[in-house]
Amino acid sequence: MQTVADLMITNLITLKESDSMAKAKALMAEKNIRNLPVINDEGTCVGMLTQREYLKHAFYLVSQFGTQQLTKKEEQTPVRNAMNKDILSIEPSLSLKTAAEFFIENKYGSLPVVEDGKLVGILSPVDFVKLAHSML
């Protein structure tokens, strides 16, 4: 049986809660990713910052301070203000079939993979597309 551990991405790009929204924006653009796990100093996943949540918060900042102040406010705003704290995670031992069924039934862009409370990977629907492509 193939498991999440066989497919998950392990060279993770993460944020800390105290990182700025400007840093998150730069990482998303530079690495061409839409979902960033947020970890604490112990390596525990405490949230996710998605491109959607980033944009929602950027629109809020624009509505409060105007477009002229957006860059400055993003530099001053910690990720904790915009991240989703109510996240689902999976374990590396979960079967790939079960993980695939979850993605089919739910509109999640990614799931953090957690073992013993620590973030060890991330899994996204794109990983399944890559797997299917390699099998063709």
Side-chain angles (χ1 to χ4, degrees):
M1 170 182 80
Q2 284 192 300
T3 65
V4 167
D6 297 320
L7 191 59
M8 69 184 187
I9 302 299
T10 57
N11 67 348
L12 299 171
I13 299 165
T14 62
L15 293 167
K16 300 261 180 156
E17 292 178 280
S18 58
D19 286 336
S20 72
M21 292 295 288
K23 179 178 181 177
K25 176 183 175 180
L27 275 174
M28 286 179 176
E30 175 187 333
K31 303 294 183 181
N32 194 29
I33 53 178
R34 295 184 312 233
N35 302 288
L36 287 165
V38 182
I39 60 172
N40 63 17
D41 291 334
E42 291 78 41
T44 302
C45 188
V46 294
M48 288 286 286
L49 182 68
T50 66
Q51 187 177 45
R52 179 177 295 196
E53 285 150 347
Y54 161 78
L55 289 170
K56 181 179 170 183
H57 199 76
F59 285 129
Y60 166 77
L61 291 174
V62 167
S63 74
Q64 296 298 304
F65 306 103
T67 56
Q68 303 274 336
Q69 294 291 313
L70 179 60
T71 300
K72 178 181 177 184
K73 291 300 179 182
E74 284 180 336
E75 290 169 357
Q76 297 171 343
T77 304
V79 166
R80 79 172 59 83
N81 291 11
M83 71 182 193
N84 181 0
K85 296 173 188 158
D86 184 25
I87 58 169
L88 295 176
S89 63
I90 55 177
E91 294 186 358
S93 60
L94 184 72
S95 77
L96 275 183
K97 182 176 181 179
T98 302
E101 289 167 355
F102 176 85
F103 282 119
I104 291 168
E105 295 171 9
N106 299 281
K107 293 183 178 182
Y108 273 71
S110 67
L111 286 171
V113 182
V114 176
E115 187 171 44
D116 298 326
K118 304 289 184 231
L119 180 68
V120 295
I122 192 165
L123 187 68
S124 75
V126 171
D127 299 319
F128 286 97
V129 172
K130 289 177 181 175
L131 175 63
H133 180 262
S134 71
M135 297 172 82
L136 295 175

